[in-house]
Amino acid sequence: MNYLEIINKCLSELNFRQTDDFSELTRPEHQRIKNYINLVAQDVCNSMNWNFLLRQEEFNLPAGTRQLKNTIYGRILAVYIDGIKYNFCENFQLFLTCRDKARIFSVFNDKLLFPEFEEDKLINIIYYTRNLAISSDNLEKRYLENADDKPLIPEPFVEQILVYGTCLRLKGEPEHVKFSYWQDMYNSALANMRSKIAIDADYTPFVRLFRR
């Protein structure tokens, strides 16, 4: 489902008129729906370590250099140099006092810090992206914003999570006639996605209820 299709599903659930023209989505209720779709996607993607958000990048670290600009847009899971995993040192001051051969790395402001090597090194970084969407040109982006953008959340779960999650945010009063239906559909999809896509089998599925 693309962004426009998700919005139209929300409009249908909320008994608003649907549209085939993205440029017509200018009313306050349209803006709220668009904002909540992205908020729900953000909450879900940040709720745990999903394997559909895993990415990999490689960097060249010149000999005698200890710093690289941190262009990773996400949370670093692992760093490998020469096939050896390097552990993260949160205290960059402690890192700077360690001997060069220690298998650790650190972060300071917008820099990635590594031990100093006598030869060029290839740094392999695996991370969870903070992007939520992908464009029609297959370029990842921070938010859903254009009609043909698609969420990174896997297709089988998109409608139940983003549509019903958005409806819960907008009309989340328990007395609403569709509240229980939206809640059940959203929670079921989220639990199924956690059980099928979680990176670690030890993770236990759980649910988060959206309330206004």
Side-chain angles (χ1 to χ4, degrees):
M1 294 179 69
N2 62 35
Y3 193 27
L4 180 58
E5 291 170 334
I6 295 169
I7 293 171
N8 273 325
K9 284 283 188 177
C10 291
L11 290 171
S12 176
E13 285 293 321
L14 297 166
N15 295 319
F16 292 133
R17 184 177 66 85
Q18 300 182 56
T19 180
D20 293 326
D21 187 351
F22 192 78
S23 65
E24 292 182 355
L25 299 170
T26 58
R27 298 172 64 87
E29 58 267 27
H30 297 153
Q31 296 303 319
R32 293 180 67 201
I33 288 172
K34 289 191 284 187
N35 289 339
Y36 277 132
I37 289 171
N38 277 296
L39 283 173
V40 172
Q42 185 176 42
D43 282 350
V44 170
C45 287
N46 290 340
S47 65
M48 68 184 304
N49 295 331
W50 302 106
N51 60 7
F52 61 82
L53 298 177
L54 279 174
R55 302 292 182 268
Q56 178 180 347
E57 287 195 31
E58 293 183 341
F59 299 84
N60 290 311
L61 181 69
T65 303
R66 300 193 68 179
Q67 298 182 1
L68 288 177
K69 184 174 178 60
N70 185 8
T71 58
I72 297 294
Y73 188 63
R75 295 174 291 114
I76 294 176
L77 172 64
V79 170
Y80 292 91
I81 304 175
D82 293 335
I84 299 172
K85 184 175 181 179
Y86 278 59
N87 296 316
F88 175 63
C89 177
E90 185 174 2
N91 186 336
F92 73 91
Q93 292 177 313
L94 177 62
F95 169 84
L96 294 174
T97 64
C98 288
R99 54 192 177 90
D100 291 341
K101 298 301 183 182
R103 293 175 178 175
I104 58 175
F105 74 99
S106 190
V107 176
F108 178 67
N109 290 335
D110 64 342
K111 302 291 186 182
L112 293 171
L113 308 179
F114 301 96
E116 185 175 326
F117 298 98
E118 296 179 355
E119 63 279 336
D120 295 351
K121 292 292 182 180
L122 184 66
I123 312 295
N124 191 326
I125 298 180
I126 301 172
Y127 66 99
Y128 293 99
T129 181
R130 294 192 187 280
N131 287 318
L132 302 176
I134 188 167
S135 70
S136 59
D137 297 325
N138 288 322
L139 297 176
E140 289 190 2
K141 55 198 304 186
R142 186 70 185 94
Y143 298 109
L144 293 154
E145 56 183 349
N146 300 320
D148 52 4
D149 289 345
K150 291 185 177 182
L152 293 181
I153 293 173
E155 182 66 30
F157 308 101
V158 168
E159 179 174 350
Q160 286 181 258
I161 288 177
L162 295 186
V163 174
Y164 301 125
T166 296
C167 291
L168 280 172
R169 286 287 186 99
L170 279 166
K171 302 288 185 181
E173 302 89 352
E175 61 272 16
H176 191 283
V177 64
K178 287 189 173 181
F179 177 84
S180 295
Y181 171 73
W182 292 335
Q183 186 180 63
D184 290 344
M185 295 293 283
Y186 171 84
N187 288 342
S188 174
L190 190 55
N192 285 336
M193 190 168 76
R194 283 190 171 117
S195 66
K196 294 177 181 178
I197 301 181
I199 197 68
D200 190 328
D202 291 333
Y203 279 117
T204 301
F206 63 96
V207 297
R208 292 175 60 190
L209 306 182
F210 287 148
R211 294 290 183 90
R212 293 184 64 186

